[in-house]
Structures are given as structure tokens and as C-alpha cells.
């Protein structure tokens, strides 16, 4: 079964420092995936693909020496977070292959919902699969002999796959940037000096001082080559769109702009809508950092109740942190965020968070607030209750672990131990994002999936249990 | 010459998990020193000191195995940042020695201003020095044969040294926690279950769920042993105090309480005072994260101008980040903090920071704001101009590099490219910290040093140029 | 172009400690490849392939944790040395894939001489290649839909590939051990408790206390499964054999037995033949350690001249050894082997080595001997002059770098600065290996290649220059 | 209690590449200590000591960057192996201190038998000890105010300490090389270009192409400075000598010359004497590699029985080797040395080793030989039975673990399972080393200790049990 993945992609064409700029681009996209990182570059003079991939943060995977080896005037990069138990180098991207279409390198963000059935079909035709990433099917489809040229084979492959994908493909002639017809995941085009750059988010352009040009359109396959830009569309230009609204709520960086709307601004507006829907008489508005910061600010502004960042974040939590042996209660919550008790004592507190998924952390936080002397605790959430899984690239837990899938709102409030609980309504969320020039996928709140997925998905998963796994050291 | 050091200390007596709790305590104190960390423990049953020290963050220095080896029912810990060019394991603390007073382990925060002359005197008597840390002189003084018992020798040693010190000393009988007579650096006492804990700041108590008891008093030498607590005073109890006000301004964590005043609260009050002193007609108040967050909030609250966290912090900057080869302008500023351009465009912006030292970063930040479209940029600083070096444990650069030591305020404003510039006044800073039950050292603003230091300091430094250095791998 | 590789393989079926035993097996085969190592295991209960691969020695790639994760009752392992400039994790084996025949894992030793043309054919059919290892073609051939079952598809694949291969293939049903029809590389079968083991050399059996059963026959494809052993033959049973005689001369470990002949014994006999062919009046016989040890012993025994190991090997040369900055002459020779000058001074010395390839080291060694006071230096080589490249898995340098390809014997002697030089003759070498129950490939001496390779090999190499490369950190 | 240590030292004065040459020197001395390594250098122009120390092999501790940082025209280096359970960076040398005599760096090989009592005396005077190495007392003694100049204070210190020491001391003026009055450990002087070098063994000179000048004499304190060499003697020149004969038997490298006798030659002579004393009718003489190689050769030569290196050494055993879980019998013996079974089968075998200490390994080896089919196994040992501990720097186990301390020779033979057993006699050993221009310490065979050690040693050890320990990560 294919793991669910969250990812970021970056690409640059026609720059002598292509690998170095890709490195900085990935750095700015690190929030989209912290498990593995990779860069592939190509030097037309040497006619040579090079790739460096590794487990860990961008700053851990690359060093001066590996960056220097990634020569060439074009490059693509990838950061990835996988939700399967075993994190593995095997699936680190870009995937680089040699096939009938020459050498190809692919970096992909999203989930292909019909990957398992395509894979079965391709295996029956003689293909062998070496990763457990759904992205691999795109390359196999391209490699099939039917299609003559690369453009045709890429368009054909993308017509076969269903689901969410924002991806960049490097060939020896140039770079493709493609987005699925509904535009689930972000992808945008920029320019630095005379070179085009592609990134999952605009924050990467800011870092390298590139100029934002435009978003890649849903269904667009943009080729960047010697002759500049050339646009293709997967199934002709479509009008229906389904951009993942959770990118605004949580996933994207606040300094990124998507579909013309700045993410931090959207979040402030969500907070304001929330204050209108669920006002309460209280003393302070406390954000859950960092995801709740802007919504809390919006709530405070709208309500006139003072904003107080009473949770202090520990910036030094590393991967290797040692869990205490049942020594300290609620440790895992406090280790990341410590309360300023002085600010809470005797106060009626509104806590604003971006979402509640399992509820475990939110519940422990209420205990913390009570211990610190909060008189009342009111929880406000800047999106509707999560009731359904995402099939398009955001990793929510199993529906049975989704609190709102199991309990009614008032029971959730009791479970969390809060005095009141308010979720942003679907309408208000859409309203908060009104300035975005797109329509939205809100399947995780509504269960209405814009793209069908195989109903036998679960059955196939069981059948495929044997799929090989890499043991990490 | 002795390096200037910033440090945090922690101690615990009488707990079976002493090393583990010290580990978490140091974790909460990590902001006080990120260069090296160490823990020494003692097991009365085994009569054995154990120590583990290393370069790096607490999470890097210790692992499950090393923590498990640090057995015993008492432990002390240390985190350290040194300002000398070569960071070296040699000076990582706790220092553990064997001498006429038995085995001793010391962890020390502060700067001893007469360390060089004491050292010279001790060398002439036959002592050999193996570190370049000023803390080592305390142990040498204790080791001198004149004094009979440990308490007497420790008190005697602390009467000889001048300057700032908050330190913990572990012997085979118990733990001492001592603070210099003026109380420059913080040090407080807490309790977890039936065990006493000592920490530089209260935030460490919060993490391990210990209860805060009281601050160690200036001049106090507290012994924690089999019979509970016993207090001594270095030169009898004194009345004059000189707590480093910069701990409130910048150094301490916002969730810590010192001398009865919460740090985040003090900072909000600084922001309010600043708004009273230097009001300006503007559209948004933008903090420089994270140090300017609370002061900006205070400024916004007092002025009624909206607060907007328009700088977005990159949480993934590692030590190994590769500097670009002159590729990208103002890169080092943007890599840490990226601006939300949408929030700035066309706005009159008030930027609030805790301090301006060299001015290089502040200047680059103004350039960023202008590029993002800010109409006006007004800088507000939540403390007076830094004009003098600190001799008591805060690492400011050479006075010649202190912007306010070289230029008049209006020239600083020009240099920074700002439309206006306002520093908090000395009086207003004191007023903002009025609730603190202490007097203050403000030498870095005023040049009035509460404890004399050797006027020939610089001469000695040159003379001692040869002092050995560890080469780090 | 495919890199030339030297490798060792190991496999075990039906043992609860299969991964652990494979680890020790690879340990004993480490001399066959020190660049990368890998183990794949399969647990029928869990229906799950697992694989751990890494760059470095067996002892570096695996730790207790990764070994513990490699659960299952069958496993295969691989050690590898590649001769291409960039050593890369990409090509570390076992290769694990999913295809129409289910999950497969392959570990391969040898060189497939028609890999490039098969690959081109497969790419044209739609296959994509993800490594630069020639072994990958075997799996692609198996994946092709024509064949019904695994046995048939494996036999079919092996009929298509030409060249040298000794390989083990793990399926969910059992393990195949296969050897090419001429039997270039060794492969043998053993038994530990009730489990069958397969190894490149018998020395791995000794380490794990397994009992040697027999060599896998040239052309044999042995399946080890639930029902014990079952033998197939690639093209029916053949009579012609071409075992690489250089395994006896240099590559195999002296404690291994191949085709019924112990390797150390073969080397002693080579030394004796050499003494018969090129006797000389001298004082001591000095081996070049460790490759020349046994031949020198044979020479000494035959000639009656005393054996003296006058070169002392430094056992602590690590990978990270820092080359001196032109400081010390002939350093790279002396750092590995230092002469006992006392033993050499005033003596007529016979130096016995297993082979001379480029001659650089041999020449520097003569200088060392002269400086140590040797009166005469006579070089004896225990195989014929290397004049031709190997296409079947031994990495000799480019023919232009082969000393014997460029110079006549007497000119080589002059070049080396020796007083005399004698190479073992082809006939004498064969005679020394007479007890081996096989025929030999001696192409590197004679240029008579038992299996054709594509004459356009070089052309293809140039054409394929672009083949992608992994950048190692 | 002080750990027993085995060490190697190196020094160079007056060379621009002093640290680099020290690095190579230590490389050649690596066999004398593999636990930690360190180099201290001094640059008169910069008046600055620098030191780099670390756990591990020379090739692991240093890299290009750390070597480049060790600037200066003089340097000393040290490799160390300690026998205490916890190996610790704390005790890595050179020790560098600052004291009344200025900066000093010391590297020391040997054991000071009165270190504990001197240390107690110094602690009572006010000294503090920061390592658990006996070498530290030398520096403390030098630091005492009584002596005026460095030469005097060093001579005085060396007159106080008793036992074995070969050490190098770096001051800002030059380098001292000193050897205890009985000359237990080797130390020699060489020259490279115009610079003097000092090394524990001559093999280091060979590597860096330095010329051997002479041994440092027992009791000599040689100063190398601006004016060349100047000799002092610790207690006037003495005549009695006590060079550790076990350096010839086992510890020193075979290519080193000590006191005019080459080590490999001494070992061959031991083998010949052994053959005269304990002849036996047999088929082959098999050395235990590498320590028994030369003695076995001598035995073979004297007896006329063929020499056969039937044990094959695995060169790839790293530190991280994973012990099998009771899976394989006698594993720890076979993993290092595998038998060539073909060479042993049906043979009467003479096994020659340099020494038998605990007997565990020797016993397992006999089992191996029997399993391989040896008809008879005769053990010959090239030194007398070890019955007493060494107090002067060789690490033998506790006397109770010494086989010969517990059993009579014939019982040892039974225990080992051998057909016969012969140890070289004391007289024959002395005879084999007759060419050495020295007298010998043979205390480990005879119990006659040339230098008294404190009879209360054990008592003190218990008392000092608490001495602190470093926890290694």
C-alpha cells in the first residue's frame, strides 16, 4: 500500500547556480516535509544527471561538497514527509530513471488515488517497481513504448493518473511543471535574473529574491526550455477547481501567497469569523503556537479581548529527545510549549488553535491551563471539525482516531474539559478565503471527494501487505 | 585571557532520577547556552562521581545510554555559550576535581572579574590550571590547605572572587547553591516530590513540574543535604543589589519569573512605556521575533495600532547551513526571518526590537521592509542604547562595535535608514520593572559598574595571549 | 556504461537467525568488496520483504537494531566494490523489486557482457532503469509477461544474459542460487543445522560453523525451498568450464577451497613452480604481504633460501588517512608496509608478489629495498604478465595502464629497477592448479575470451556517457 | 586508583610541519595504544599552545582541518590504551596546563608506582586533580614554587616519581625527552632534515624518513631547543638497567630496533631457542598471527619442520562488531583467525605463540585445530610463563587470571587440551636478546621487581574507589 506523503517541490532552469538555489528553495519549503530531501541536476555540456538524496532535514542532507558536485544549469528538488511507520531512503525523491524517453528525474507532491491499479496493470506488462512511492507510476507510464515524444508521453501519463499532484519533471531538454486538473496542491512560477523557477510556495521565491510571476494553473503542464515557456493542458482547460483549503488553515507558510491570497491574512480572517460566530466574555486570547497565531490575532482584533502569547515554545527540541520514563505528567505537551502561569492565573482564557485532530494534545493543554489557574477555558478552532480522511496528500490519522468522527461537538467539549468549544463553520471558512481566486476541496470536513478513489482501496491495502520495506539504520 | 560566557545551571538533591531530571532542567535552560552541556552525578552508595560533557545542544550531548550511566541521587548540570573564537570541550562544565576537600563538581554562571590576578597568585603557590574558564579559580581556592571544612573553604573562596556568579557545587555530602552578593544572575530554589532543585530560571521547574519555593538571595550560600536546607551568607547579609536588568529585556525566557516579576509581563510594560515615550502615527506594529514579541504587544496595546507578526521565522536553520557564495543579497537576514510582504505593502510600520547592538541586522531589516513596500519604517527599541561592555556575564561585542558607543541617536537612525528611532529611557526601563523585588545593574547603558574590575584588564589580556587553546575537530 | 564490480554473495534458507548468519557470512566475504553491503530478508509469516543497504564495511552498515529488524527465515546478502569514480548507494545490493512475479531480491557477483544491449531492448519495451548496475537487467527480464512461473522466468532470464554471474535470488517461496554456464565466479553450498547456506567462498561456512556440501555447478540453477533442493540447468548441462584462475592467484581468501583445491595450497605450488622456472642465488625470500605470502613460502621451500617477512604491515590504515603534502618521499608505499631494515641490509633479496599491474608500487618498493641496503633485488611474480582487460568481474585498469601491455619483460625489469624479474608461465600456473576440478579462464594473460562481448562495447560506453550518477555526501 | 596504561609518545622540534609529522609518527606507533590520541603544538611567533585530543585511532581523531589548526614549529603527540573499564577522554594526552612555570604540555608512557602517595601529599598542599592519569603528578610537582627554573623543576619532579616513564614535555622554549633511570620503556632520538625527533620506537622514524641517531639513555633528560641538544641525568648517570623484555617478545613492532637489536630478529632467535629446548616430531609449524610469526619462523628454521601460516586473519574487524547471540561456538576466536583446514587435516601441528595469559583463546584454538583434523597439537610459547603482574606499564590481567599463576605447566597443558606444551626458559629468553645493549626487567616471569612499589597499593585502591569517572557517550 502506498504511504500518504506531504511534500514540497522546487525547480530551476537556466542558472549556473541551479543546485545551490534549489538548496535554498528547499530550505524555505522545509515545513512541507522534514523526513528526506533530494536534488537532481543536469549539465547539458556534460550530458549527465546527478542526484543526491538523504534522510533528514535539508541542512543535514547536503553539505558544501555534495552541493558542489551537483553541477549543471537546471535542477529539481524535493522535501518529503511520509506517514508510514518506517521512514525510508528508498522513497526519497527526485526519482531518477533511464528509459525509452532518455533520462528523467521526477519530484512529486500529492497522492495518486489510482496508483495501485495502474501499478498492477504495469507489472502485468513487465514493469518492475523499486520504490513504494505512488510517484513511480508516472515514470513507468511515460516509459511505455506507445508514445513517441516526451511531451506526449508526459501528458498521456498525467491523463491516466487520478488524484492530486503538483510535480516537476527534469529531462535533458528542460523542465516540466505540472498540476492536476483540480489544482489540489499549490505550485507557482517565478523568475530570478533570466531563469525561471518553480516552487510549491512563494516563500521560496522570497528567500532567493526571485520574482513571483503566477500560479501554475490547475491542469497545466508548463515546459521550461531553451525557447522559454510553453503551456499544455492535461485534458484541455477545465473550469472546476478544488484547491485544498487546509493549506490556508494550517499547512502552507504564513508568508506564502496562494491564488492571490496571503496565508496569514486568510488566517486572521478565519479568526475574525470565529469571533463573530462564537463570541464569549473572557480576559485573554491565547494562541497555540505557531499554527494558531494569526487566527488568535484575528479573534482578539474582532472581539477586542487582549491577545497574549502565553504558550512559550522551546526552540531546541531535537529528534533525539529522550522521553522520560513515566516520570512527569503531561510531559510531551509541556516540553514543546510551556505556559506563562502569571498571564493565566485567575483569567478567563480563549485558546485558539487551527484544528483538533485526535484531541489528545488539546486535552492535555486544558489541564495545563487549569493547573496554571485559568478560571475558564474556551476553545476556538479556526476550521470545521475534521471528520473524513484526506486522499489527496494531507496526512490525517485513521477516521477512527479523528475526534469529530467519533463524538458530537458537545461531547468533544466535555472530553477536552473545556468550558466552551467553537469550530469555524464551513461557510465562514469559505468566506474567510473569499479573496482566493479558486474553488476549494473541503472533503476532510464534508466527505465530498472531488475525485473518486477506488472503493476497494482497503482491500488492496491488505492484499499488498507484503510490499517491501527498507530497514533504516 | 578568560572568555566571556553565558550559562545556565541546574541541580537536584535526593531524587532517584536525578540525572534524568537534570537533563530536562537543562533542556528548559538551553536558551542560556547552546555550545556545550554537561551533567555530573553522585551516588552515595557507590561513592562515585560521574560526569558526561560534550559540545552541542543538550539533545545532542546526551543519549539514553549516557543518561543511564549517570547514576545517583544528586546531580548538577550546566549549559554554556562562550564568546571566544574557538569553542572548546576543555571548558565544558561541570568541572570535576579531586583535592584536599575530596571530590567536587562545579557548574557556574557569571564572570569573575578578578580571576586573572587570583590565578596568577595561585600559580605562584603551585597550582596548575587545565581550563581557560574563570570558574576553575573557585575550586583552586577551595583546595588551599588553610581551611578545614568544605563549607568554610567554599565561603572563603567566594569571599575572594569578585563579580557575578550563580553557581552550584556538588560534594559527596550534598549540594551548594550560591549567588554573588549583588545577585547579578538569577538562581532559584524549587521542590519536586521531597527533593530540592536549583535552577537559573523558573521555566525549568515548570517543565519538570517542580514547585517554585523562592529565589536564592544575593550573597546566600545554600547547602542542601541530609538535614534539609542550611543558609550561609558570603559577607553577612547585604542590602545593595544589582540584578542584571538585561535578563528581563532579552536573556531570560518569557515564562520565567525573577524576583517576583514575570519576564513577559516586564517586556509588555517596556513596550507600553516605549509607546508613551515615542508615539508615532502608523498602521501596524511589527515585532522582531522572538525577542521583540512582548514589547511589540505592549506597544500595540498602549498605542492602539494593530499588532502584526509580519516576520516569519524559519524553524529549520541548523548549524551546518551553507552560506551562499555572494549569490543573494541580505541573505543572512532573510534566511531566519522572511517578511509577509502582503502585510507590509503601503503601510507605515513600527518595528519593535529588544535591543540594537551592532546594527547590521537591523539595517538589513529596514532594507527588507522598504523592498516589501513599507511607506515608513519606525524603529522602537525596548531598552536604552548599549554603550558599555558587560563584565558580569552577558556577551556584548567590543565597545567599538557597539553602534550607540560610536554614533549619536540621530546618526544611528540615518545609518539604519529608518524614518524614526526611539530607545526606551533608563527611567522608563526601571519603571517597567518596578514590580521586581530587587535593584538593578544597568552598567551596559550607564557605564556605572557596581563591582570594580581590574583597570589593567586589557593589559593582562595581551600578556596572557599565549593561553592554550583546544583545537576542535 | 556499467561499472566493473567485484562482489561477494551469501544466502540462507530456513533458519530463525537468517539475517544474523548472513551478517557473519558477509563478514567473512568482506575481502570481495568493501564499498557497500546489504541484506534482504523475508518472513513467510509476515509476508514481508525487508532490506538494509549502506555504503561501507559490513561492520559499519549494520548495527544491532538494523539486524534485529531484518526478521524472517530466509535472507540474502551482498558485498560490493565498484571501480567507477563515484561510489554510490544507488547500486548497493540486494536489489529488491515488485513485479508480475511478485517480490524479488537479487544479489549478484560477476559482469554481464550483453547488459547494455538487453537494457536498450527492454527500455524500448517500456522498462525503466533505476540503477547503473548490470544486475538490474536480470530482474527486468524476469518481469516480462511471457513466462508463467518464477522458475521459468529466471531460467529464461539467465539464458538471455551472457558473461559471468554467480547470484542468489530470493522469492517468497525460497532461494535460487545460480552460476553462469562456464562457472567464472565461485559459488558453493553448505549446511548449518537443518538449513542450507550459499556463499561465494567456503571461508564463510567456516566462520559460522556450517558444513561444506559441494560447489554449485557451472550452469546450475539450484532452488532451495520447502521441499529441499531442486536443480535446473541453464542450457542443459555443459562440459566446458572457465573458472577465473585469478581467484586462486589473488582474489579468493587463502582459507577457501574452490573446486576441491585449497587456495593457499595453490599459491604455495605457484611459488614452487616459480622457483623451478626462475631460480637465483640469493639470501632471503621476502613476500609482499599479504598477497605474496604463500607463493613466497613455496619459493623458499623449493629453493631452500630462507623465508623472511621483512615487510611489516600497518594494521591501522583507515579510509580517512590524510596524504602528506609532498613532505615525504614514497610515502604511500611505506605507510602500508614498512621494511625491517636489519633483515635486508647487505642481502640479496628475492621479492615475491602475486601480480604486477601498473608497476608503480612495485617500483617504489625496489627503491625502499635499495635504501635499506639490499645488495640485489630479484622480483618473482606468481602469475603470467597481465596484458588484457577482464570482462568477467575482476577490476584491472585500462589496458594502457597495464605495464605488461606496454613493455617487454626485460624493459619492465629495467623500469622496476630490479636485478632480475620472473613471471610464472601460463603452463606452470595451470600446473600449480592441477588439483582443481575445473578448466580455467586465463583471458587476462592470453586475450582468449571464453564468452564473446559486444565489439561495440567502447562505442556504447561513449554513447551512454550521460548515465546518471549519485552524488555521495 | 590509577588505570594501567600502554602508550606511545612522539615529539619534534624546529620543523614547519611539526604537527603533520607528529601525526604520521603516531600513526606508526598506533600499536602502542588505540584508545585515544592527541597532539599539542606550539608556535613561538604566536606564543600559543594548541591541542587536539580525541577518543579513537589516530586516523579518526584528526582530520585535515584539525591538523591545519595545530600550527607551530614544535609538537608532541601521544597514543594511549587504558585498561580501566570506562575509557575516557578525560585522560587523553598530551595534558596541557598553565602554571608558575608557564604553559606546559606532557605526553607520558609508563606507570608511576608512587603516584597515589605523591598525589595525596600534593592535594594536602592545595593541588586539584582533574584527570585520573598518573602522569598528572609530574606537572603538579613541576608547578610547586620551590624550584626556580623549568629544567630544575622537571629534574626535581622526575627524582620524586618512581617507576617507569618515557615522556616528552613541551615548554615554550623547547622539548624535553626523559626516560626513567632503569629505562623500562623505549625512547629514541632521530633527525629529519635539521629537526630532532623523539619517538617511542624507531618504526616511526622509518615512516617519516627520519634518521635514527641513538636511544635516549636510562635516566637521561634531553633538552632540545634553540641551541641544539643538552643532556641532564635524573640521579647522575646510573649503570643498572631494566628494559622491559616483553617489548621484544610482544609489544614493540617487529621493524623497530631497540638497544641495537631488531625486534623481529630477537623473536626469530626466541623461536630457535624454543626449538632447541622443546623439540618434537611434527609435520608443520603454525604461527599465531601476527604475534607468533617470527618465533614460529625461528622454530621452523631450527627444527627443519615446514612453516605454514594456517591461521588466516580477517582484516576487517571493526569496533562495532556485533557478538552473535550464543549462536556459534568459539565464535570470538574464529572471527579473527580462520584455519586453513586443508593444511591441518591429518597433521601433527606445532603452534607457536608469543605468550599465554589467560589461556581462554589458546584453548579455543586447540579445539579449532582438532576439529580441522589435527592429529597432534603441540604448543610452544616464546617466553616464560607469566606469573606476576607488571607495575611498569604493560597491562596483564589480575594475577588470579594468569593461567601460569594458578596451574602447574603440565596442568596448563591439560587445560589447553594440547599434546605437549613448552615455554621458553628465562635463560633462553635472555640469550635470544643477547645482542641488546641493556639489562632487563623480567618481573612478570620472576616476581623480582626492580623498583619498589607501595605495599599498601591495594588498600589505597579501595580507599580511592570514589575517584571520578567520565561517562562516554
Amino acid at each position: 500500500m502506498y504511504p500518504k506523503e506531504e511534500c514540497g517541490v522546487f525547480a530551476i532552469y537556466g542558472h549556473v547556480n541551479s543546485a545551490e538555489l534549489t538548496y535554498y528553495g528547499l530550505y524555505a519549503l522545509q515545513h512541507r516535509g522534514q523526513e528526506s530531501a533530494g536534488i537532481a541536476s543536469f549539465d547539458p555540456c556534460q550530458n549527465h544527471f546527478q542526484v543526491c538524496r538523504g534522510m533528514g532535514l535539508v541542512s543535514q542532507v547536503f553539505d558544501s561538497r555534495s552541493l558542489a558536485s551537483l553541477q549543471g544549469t537546471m535542477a529539481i528538488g524535493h522535501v518529503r514527509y511520509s506517514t508510514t511507520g518506517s521512514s525510508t531512503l528508498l522513497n526519497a525523491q527526485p526519482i531518477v530513471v533511464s528509459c525509452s524517453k532518455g533520462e528523467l528525474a521526477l519530484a512529486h507532491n500529492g497522492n495518486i488515488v489510482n496508483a495501485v491499479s495502474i501499478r498492477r496493470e504495469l507489472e502485468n506488462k513487465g514493469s518492475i517497481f523499486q520504490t513504494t512511492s505512488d510517484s513511480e507510476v508516472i515514470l513507468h507510464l511515460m516509459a511505455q513504448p506507445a508514445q513517441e515524444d516526451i511531451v506526449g508521453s508526459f501528458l498521456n501519463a498525467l491523463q491516466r493518473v487520478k488524484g492530486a499532484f503538483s510535480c516537476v519533471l527534469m529531462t535533458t531538454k528542460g523542465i516540466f511543471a505540472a498540476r492536476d486538473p483540480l489544482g489540489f496542491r499549490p505550485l507557482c512560477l517565478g523568475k530570478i535574473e533570466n531563469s525561471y523557477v518553480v516552487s510549491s510556495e512563494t516563500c521560496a521565491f522570497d528567500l532567493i529574491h526571485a520574482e513571483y510571476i503566477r500560479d501554475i494553473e490547475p491542469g497545466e503542464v508548463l515546459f521550461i526550455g531553451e525557447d522559454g515557456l510553453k503551456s499544455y493542458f492535461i485534458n484541455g482547460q477545465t473550469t472546476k477547481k478544488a484547491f485544498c483549503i487546509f493549506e490556508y488553515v494550517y499547512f502552507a507558510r504564513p508568508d506564502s501567497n496562494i491564488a492571490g491570497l496571503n496565508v496569514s491574512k486568510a488566517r486572521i480572517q478565519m479568526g475574525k469569523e470565529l469571533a463573530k460566530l462564537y463570541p464569549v466574555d473572557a480576559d485573554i486570547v491565547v494562541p497555540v503556537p505557531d499554527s494558531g497565531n494569526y487566527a488568535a490575532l484575528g479573534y482578539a482584533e474582532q472581539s477586542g479581548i487582549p491577545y497574549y502569547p502565553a504558550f512559550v515554545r522551546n526552540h531546541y527540541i531535537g529528534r533525539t529527545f529522550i522521553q522520560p520514563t513515566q516520570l512527569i505528567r503531561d510531559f510531551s505537551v509541556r516540553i514543546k510549549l510551556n505556559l506563562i502561569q502569571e498571564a493565566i492565573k485567575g483569567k478567563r482564557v480563549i485558546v485558539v488553535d487551527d484544528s483538533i485532530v485526535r484531541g489528545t494534545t488539546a486535552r492535555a493543554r486544558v489541564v495545563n491551563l487549569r493547573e496554571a489557574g485559568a478560571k475558564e477555558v474556551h476553545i476556538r478552532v479556526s476550521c470545521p471539525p475534521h471528520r473524513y480522511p484526506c486522499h489527496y496528500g494531507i496526512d490525517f490519522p485513521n477516521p477512527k482516531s479523528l475526534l469529530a468522527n467519533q463524538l458530537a461537538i458537545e461531547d468533544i467539549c466535555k472530553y477536552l474539559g473545556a468550558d466552551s468549544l467553537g469550530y469555524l463553520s464551513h461557510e465562514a471558512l469559505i468566506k474567510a478565503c473569499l479573496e482566493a481566486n479558486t474553488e476549494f476541496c473541503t472533503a476532510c470536513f464534508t466527505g465530498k471527494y472531488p475525485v473518486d478513489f477506488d472503493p476497494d482501496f482497503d482491500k488492496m491495502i491488505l492484499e499488498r501487505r507484503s510490499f517491501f520495506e527498507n530497514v533504516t539504520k
Side-chain angles (χ1 to χ4, degrees), chain A residues 44-95:
Chain A
C45 306
Q46 296 216 333
N47 207 24
H48 214 75
F49 271 59
Q50 278 157 321
V51 59
C52 177
R53 294 175 292 221
M55 300 307 288
L57 298 177
V58 174
S59 61
Q60 295 166 328
V61 170
F62 303 98
D63 55 21
S64 315
R65 201 153 64 88
S66 58
L67 269 194
S69 309
L70 289 162
Q71 291 172 333
T73 54
M74 47 175 148
I76 65 172
H78 192 259
V79 289
R80 175 181 179 272
Y81 172 74
S82 159
T83 70
T84 42
S86 74
S87 59
T88 153
L89 185 53
L90 203 68
N91 287 344
Q93 297 196 7
I95 310 180

Side-chain angles (χ1 to χ4, degrees), chain A residues 30 55 106 147 187 190 202 207 213 257 280 315 330 368 407 420 471:
Chain A
Q30 185 79 79
M55 300 307 288
L106 178 77
Q147 293 300 320
L187 196 65
T202 60
L207 181 65
I213 307 277
N257 300 327
V280 63
H315 288 294
D330 296 335
N368 282 187
L407 297 179
S420 78
V471 172

Side-chain angles (χ1 to χ4, degrees), chain A residues 40 49 76 94-106 138-140 142-143 150 153 169-172 176:
Chain A
F49 271 59
I76 65 172
I95 310 180
V96 183
V97 306
S98 170
C99 71
S100 59
K101 303 301 178 296
E103 277 75 42
L104 301 174
L106 178 77
I138 298 177
L139 293 167
H140 277 285
M142 286 189 69
I150 287 183
S153 65
L169 175 79
M170 184 166 68
T171 74
T172 58
F176 289 92

Side-chain angles (χ1 to χ4, degrees), chain A residues 2 114-124 127 129 131-133 136-137 464 467-468:
Chain A
Y2 289 119
N114 61 341
V116 173
S117 59
I118 295 179
R119 180 171 151 164
R120 185 174 297 175
E121 175 198 321
L122 287 164
E123 286 187 354
N124 288 337
S127 295
F129 282 75
T131 77
T132 54
S133 162
E136 196 180 355
V137 298
R464 276 288 171 191
F467 204 71
F468 54 90

Side-chain angles (χ1 to χ4, degrees), chain A residues 379-441:
Chain A
I379 299 178
R380 296 295 176 268
V381 183
S382 62
C383 73
H386 276 94
R387 296 206 168 98
Y388 305 93
C390 173
H391 297 299
Y392 313 120
I394 297 283
D395 166 41
F396 295 123
N398 190 293
K400 298 218 163 145
S401 303
L402 290 172
L403 196 61
N405 186 286
Q406 301 295 311
L407 297 179
I409 302 294
E410 58 186 12
D411 293 328
I412 296 176
C413 184
K414 267 184 215 156
Y415 171 81
L416 299 178
D419 295 287
S420 78
L421 167 64
Y423 283 97
L424 194 60
S425 71
H426 188 267
E427 299 68 35
L429 176 57
I430 299 288
K431 197 175 150 199
C433 299
L434 211 61
E435 291 170 46
N437 180 27
T438 186
E439 293 161 299
F440 294 106
C441 173

Side-chain angles (χ1 to χ4, degrees), chain A residues 275 278-283 299 303 305 349-350 376 378 380 420:
Chain A
Y278 294 100
V280 63
D281 202 20
D283 300 311
Y299 196 103
S303 65
I305 301 169
V349 179
I350 300 167
E376 297 173 14
H378 304 275
R380 296 295 176 268
S420 78

Side-chain angles (χ1 to χ4, degrees), chain A residues 286 288-289 310-312 328-347 349 351 360-377 379 416-418:
Chain A
V286 172
V288 175
F311 286 106
V312 175
I328 308 168
R329 194 156 40 88
D330 296 335
F331 184 83
S332 60
V333 172
R334 267 202 323 278
I335 187 75
K336 284 186 204 149
L337 299 178
N338 189 38
L339 261 186
I340 302 178
Q341 305 196 17
E342 293 292 310
I344 297 299
K345 200 177 297 168
K347 300 278 173 58
V349 179
V351 182
T360 338
T361 309
R363 192 187 190 186
R365 229 173 259 137
V366 175
V367 173
N368 282 187
L369 285 160
R370 300 275 188 210
E371 287 179 348
K375 237 164 58 185
E376 297 173 14
V377 177
I379 299 178
L416 299 178

